[in-house]
Amino acid sequence: MLMRKVPGFVPASSWGLRLPQKFLFLLFLSGLVTLCFGALFLLPHSSRLKRLFLAPRTQQPGLEVAADVVGHPPVREQKPPPDPAPAAPAPGEDDPSNRANHPRRNGWPRRTRPTGPREEATATRGNGIAALGPRERSVPFSFDFKAFRSRLHHPVLGMRPDESKEPQSQVRAQREKVKEMMQFAWQSYKRYAMGKNELRPLTKDGYEGNMFGGLSGATIIDSLDTLYLMELKEEFQEAKAWVEESFHLNVSGEASLFEVNIRYIGGLLSAFYLTGEEVFRIKAIKLGQKLLPAFNTPTGIPKGVVNFKSGSNGSWGWATAGSSSILAEFGSLHLEFLHLTELSGNQVFAEKASLPRCSFLKQCPLLPAASRRTSTQLAVKVYLVSLSWQVRNIRKVLRKIEKPFGLYPNFLSPVSGNWVQHHVSVGGLGDSFYEYLIKSWLMSAKTDTEAKNMYYEALEAIETYLLNVSPGGLTYIAEWRGGILDHKMGHLACFSGGMIALGAEDAKEEKRAHYRELAAQITKTCHESYARSDTKLGPEAFWFNSGREAVATQLSESYYILRPEVVESYMYLWRLTHDPIYREWGWEVVMALEKYCRTEGGFSGIQDVYSSIPNHDNKQQSFFLAETLKYLYLLFSEDDVLSQEDWVFNTEAHPLPVNHLDSSGRARGRH
């Protein structure tokens, strides 16, 4: 009764609840409703319930990668990218649309592995997505792998019949021998150095080196496409599993822009294009981002060294007192960077956006400050433009600069844009610059006329000022130092026979036969450098003077480190002419490798090709698996295996596809 005397007290309602009781009931009810609806937004894996109550939100494409690029995880929940193709083809199995009406080998079943707690994530997704962290999965997928495979003119591994029904032949036996050598090299690496950059076969341990900035597994990345090509199925799965689980990019050393690009990015790109496995695409894009600070120079010509920790760049100390960039290094980025642009998102940004040059993840001084800080769309554009625009800018600089007699010297200042020394070589320091000009023309499906014109102009200057014929009739390309010739040719320059053969078809009609003959003559000279040694392997450099031809003149140039350039030219000349001499010469190399370079723990280079008692250098180079064995295998394979209509090889022999699209984006018809 006392409660009724309290001011404001209201008697109970007709259904038995007084006002304070109503208040408490409503408070409880509102809390319950809030809790239930809050669960829809706060509990994990609630996206299905959200869609019942919320209208779908639209988001401009590319924001996920932009958020990741500027150092922040995406705001909304990430869904893993879709499979690039249903049941991505494995070694020996091509896209069904490509092999219709062709007898093919049985498909390659994926290797199954135990799925314990540590491996469950990897095994649940065949394309490797689950093995990646959330930030690595944030790269949006915009590449139609199935459509890409349907545009190829030939099955990737050719239209060979089932080998179980193929009669034994000499060339098949030779091909199988090269395959056995690859398997031995891989198994030796796996046994003694798995995860290290390269194998030391004599001491049976691994070697890291200092070129890769702390990145590991160079031999694994370099071997992926060779293992796929040779249908070494279990070994390929071992390599892929290592990339998924152990290839980490959070490294902090100083790396060679050139070596990381041609070995790691080239290897990852080719592995993706051959298999459609997302893990390779994502790793390649992430690694490409880490290289972009190299371009932060006044001219846009990149420096040769990138510090992965600080994002700074520098030049090699020996490159004219550390002031120069090297022609073969900054000139060998075009193929890989255009494919990074293709695979990282909408290529229209790279073609149409017009942004001032600046280094990635650094402020662009010509952009408004607010845009630098807040525009994630701009970050996407900067990334996509940086990849291909930067390498196109290199050509712009080279086109404008005056060249001595039309020749390209090996050293250029990335600050002033001027040549530092007038040293010209088609071998080391210059080689792959010329290679990437003709291959850019071919990779573009013969639409990149700038690259074509630059290549043939350079080749004419090389012929005029560097090409010589020895008294013994051997054709060679000398080196040029300010107008004075060094009458020597490096092993690295022996790729030029294959390069000239590759470009002969698209030369002016009156020059085509001449270039085919020139390619054959240069390749013959390089063969002579092998034939005139005791081991039938070629020296690092050979001279033409004092009555001696195609031989090294000092011990410091007499070593052989498993280099591929000579057999590379054999392969191209074989495909151009089908002259059996090139397979004969290739088989001589196989036999010499077996006799002088094979050891109990792997393959090793030798220190003197003129000694029949080998002194091994204790190093199985990663490029031996990427290039030398791949080119030998292709030499003894049919021409439609990695057909030149569909693929070009980067300078580490990683196959990258030709762009079979016209300017409107439509697929070109098959031949």
Side-chain angles (χ1 to χ4, degrees):
M1 298 300 296
L2 292 175
M3 293 298 294
R4 292 185 180 184
K5 295 181 180 181
V6 176
F9 179 80
V10 180
S13 63
S14 57
W15 44 284
L17 291 177
R18 293 185 172 88
L19 184 59
Q21 294 170 320
K22 288 182 180 180
F23 176 78
L24 292 174
F25 176 78
L26 291 174
L27 185 63
F28 170 79
L29 185 61
S30 63
L32 181 63
V33 171
T34 301
L35 181 63
C36 293
F37 275 86
L40 297 177
F41 300 91
L42 300 178
L43 290 178
H45 308 299
S46 59
S47 57
R48 293 184 180 179
L49 293 174
K50 290 179 189 178
R51 288 196 290 267
L52 295 176
F53 298 94
L54 299 178
R57 292 186 298 172
T58 59
Q59 184 172 5
Q60 292 177 326
L63 290 183
E64 295 92 344
V65 70
D68 189 52
V69 158
V70 298
H72 302 288
V75 175
R76 66 183 179 91
E77 181 185 7
Q78 292 293 310
K79 291 167 46 176
D83 277 343
E93 181 181 1
D94 289 286
D95 188 271
S97 61
N98 270 359
R99 65 174 190 269
N101 302 320
H102 299 303
R104 299 293 296 143
R105 302 179 186 179
N106 293 330
W108 177 21
R110 297 186 183 275
R111 184 183 177 202
T112 58
R113 302 167 61 239
T115 55
R118 296 178 59 189
E119 296 183 301
E120 183 177 356
T122 304
T124 53
R125 287 294 301 273
N127 66 0
I129 294 299
L132 303 171
R135 288 174 60 81
E136 290 180 305
R137 290 199 301 268
S138 66
V139 178
F141 187 86
S142 60
F143 186 81
D144 190 337
F145 182 79
K146 185 176 181 180
F148 152 69
R149 289 297 287 263
S150 71
R151 291 192 296 268
L152 297 180
H153 296 172
H154 303 274
V156 173
L157 300 182
M159 295 185 291
R160 302 192 306 271
D162 188 335
E163 286 189 351
S164 64
K165 301 177 182 178
E166 181 185 11
Q168 185 68 30
S169 65
Q170 180 181 0
V171 69
R172 176 184 166 188
Q174 291 170 322
R175 186 170 65 244
E176 288 299 313
K177 176 57 185 176
V178 177
K179 180 176 178 178
E180 184 277 329
M181 293 167 70
M182 177 65 187
Q183 193 168 28
F184 173 72
W186 171 263
Q187 294 295 347
S188 298
Y189 168 80
K190 175 188 170 186
R191 181 176 181 182
Y192 302 117
M194 189 67 173
K196 301 292 185 181
N197 281 320
E198 289 171 318
L199 165 68
R200 296 194 294 189
L202 300 187
T203 52
K204 297 180 180 179
D205 57 7
Y207 173 78
E208 290 289 11
N210 57 5
M211 293 190 301
F212 306 122
L215 295 172
S216 58
T219 293
I220 298 173
I221 306 297
D222 254 352
S223 298
L224 282 163
D225 50 22
T226 309
L227 294 172
Y228 182 95
L229 167 67
M230 296 185 185
E231 299 181 86
L232 291 170
K233 305 168 186 180
E234 182 174 341
E235 291 83 352
F236 179 85
Q237 289 295 338
E238 292 166 350
K240 172 177 169 261
W242 184 90
V243 174
E244 290 175 340
E245 299 164 8
S246 303
F247 182 47
H248 305 300
L249 305 182
N250 55 336
V251 293
S252 57
E254 290 189 339
S256 164
L257 168 68
F258 172 75
E259 296 291 349
V260 170
N261 178 61
I262 67 170
R263 299 196 200 204
Y264 284 91
I265 291 181
L268 291 167
L269 288 174
S270 66
F272 171 72
Y273 282 118
L274 291 172
T275 68
E277 300 283 1
E278 270 291 282
V279 62
F280 302 131
R281 183 186 75 94
I282 293 172
K283 296 281 189 180
I285 293 171
K286 294 287 184 180
L287 189 52
Q289 294 174 15
K290 295 175 74 70
L291 295 180
L292 290 176
F295 293 86
N296 187 27
T297 66
T299 60
I301 297 294
K303 294 185 177 181
V305 180
V306 179
N307 188 304
F308 285 150
K309 182 177 182 179
S310 66
S312 61
N313 60 33
S315 298
W316 298 109
W318 52 265
T320 59
S323 63
S324 299
S325 295
I326 299 167
L327 181 68
E329 295 192 345
F330 67 77
S332 303
L333 303 169
H334 200 88
L335 303 184
E336 296 86 356
F337 271 45
L338 288 187
H339 278 290
L340 284 176
T341 299
E342 174 71 16
L343 295 181
S344 62
N346 189 348
Q347 199 174 18
V348 69
F349 292 133
E351 299 296 334
K352 296 184 178 180
S354 179
L355 297 179
R357 185 197 55 74
C358 58
S359 68
F360 188 60
L361 293 182
K362 298 210 178 270
Q363 289 187 340
C364 243
L366 301 181
L367 293 176
S371 296
R372 293 198 301 266
R373 289 193 302 267
T374 62
S375 176
T376 53
Q377 253 325 68
L378 179 61
V380 175
K381 291 185 180 182
V382 169
Y383 172 56
L384 296 175
V385 170
S386 290
L387 288 174
S388 63
W389 189 90
Q390 297 281 24
V391 290
R392 290 186 176 117
N393 179 64
I394 293 172
R395 283 196 199 163
K396 182 179 178 181
V397 173
L398 292 176
R399 293 287 282 180
K400 292 173 64 176
I401 190 173
E402 183 178 353
K403 292 169 278 294
F405 303 102
L407 297 169
Y408 289 86
N410 292 335
F411 297 102
L412 181 74
S413 168
V415 177
S416 68
N418 296 321
W419 304 115
V420 177
Q421 287 184 356
H422 284 185
H423 171 216
V424 179
S425 169
V426 180
L429 306 177
D431 46 9
S432 49
F433 164 71
Y434 307 99
E435 174 189 2
Y436 271 41
L437 290 178
I438 188 60
K439 289 182 176 180
S440 293
W441 160 251
L442 296 172
M443 194 180 78
S444 71
K446 303 183 179 180
T447 61
D448 186 352
T449 55
E450 180 183 52
K452 176 186 178 183
N453 294 335
M454 289 177 69
Y455 168 75
Y456 288 111
E457 290 168 6
L459 186 56
E460 287 187 11
I462 289 168
E463 273 201 89
T464 302
Y465 296 102
L466 306 185
L467 193 67
N468 280 267
V469 179
S470 73
L474 296 179
T475 301
Y476 64 97
I477 302 176
E479 296 188 7
W480 190 86
R481 296 181 186 271
I484 301 175
L485 290 183
D486 283 339
H487 291 275
K488 75 169 183 178
M489 192 168 175
H491 194 293
L492 289 167
C494 284
F495 88 98
S496 59
M499 176 188 73
I500 295 169
L502 190 62
E505 178 185 350
D506 296 310
K508 295 177 182 178
E509 187 172 358
E510 64 271 19
K511 299 280 283 185
R512 292 174 187 171
H514 166 69
Y515 284 141
R516 286 193 288 267
E517 179 60 21
L518 178 60
Q521 290 301 319
I522 291 174
T523 302
K524 178 183 176 183
T525 297
C526 291
H527 169 260
E528 285 300 311
S529 75
Y530 277 52
R532 298 181 186 195
S533 77
D534 292 43
T535 59
K536 306 307 175 186
L537 295 168
E540 182 69 4
F542 46 94
W543 291 77
F544 300 84
N545 55 24
S546 303
R548 305 184 68 187
E549 297 185 359
V551 293
T553 59
Q554 49 192 340
L555 184 61
S556 62
E557 296 175 333
S558 298
Y559 60 88
Y560 172 72
I561 57 172
L562 307 175
R563 287 203 187 276
E565 290 77 21
V566 173
V567 296
E568 175 183 359
S569 287
Y570 292 170
M571 189 275 291
Y572 282 117
L573 267 294
W574 162 257
R575 288 196 169 187
L576 176 68
T577 68
H578 285 172
D579 187 334
I581 193 64
Y582 298 111
R583 282 183 166 173
E584 292 176 20
W585 290 350
W587 189 246
E588 290 174 2
V589 175
V590 170
M591 293 294 96
L593 288 169
E594 283 286 286
K595 184 174 182 179
Y596 295 104
C597 297
R598 186 164 181 156
T599 73
E600 181 184 354
F603 285 92
S604 171
I606 56 177
Q607 297 182 14
D608 185 4
V609 298
Y610 301 106
S611 172
S612 58
I613 302 175
N615 186 9
H616 295 105
D617 66 9
N618 194 28
K619 195 168 183 181
Q620 181 176 278
Q621 304 277 354
S622 77
F623 56 69
F624 178 66
L625 292 81
E627 299 184 75
T628 309
L629 294 177
K630 182 185 287 117
Y631 285 132
L632 284 169
Y633 186 83
L634 291 171
L635 176 62
F636 299 110
S637 299
E638 297 300 321
D639 292 355
D640 61 354
V641 179
L642 291 179
S643 167
Q644 289 174 197
E645 284 190 78
D646 292 322
W647 304 91
V648 295
F649 294 100
N650 84 338
T651 198
E652 191 81 356
H654 295 307
L656 299 173
V658 172
N659 178 21
H660 289 308
L661 294 174
D662 61 24
S663 59
S664 66
R666 294 174 298 184
R668 294 183 177 91
R670 301 191 182 193
H671 301 312

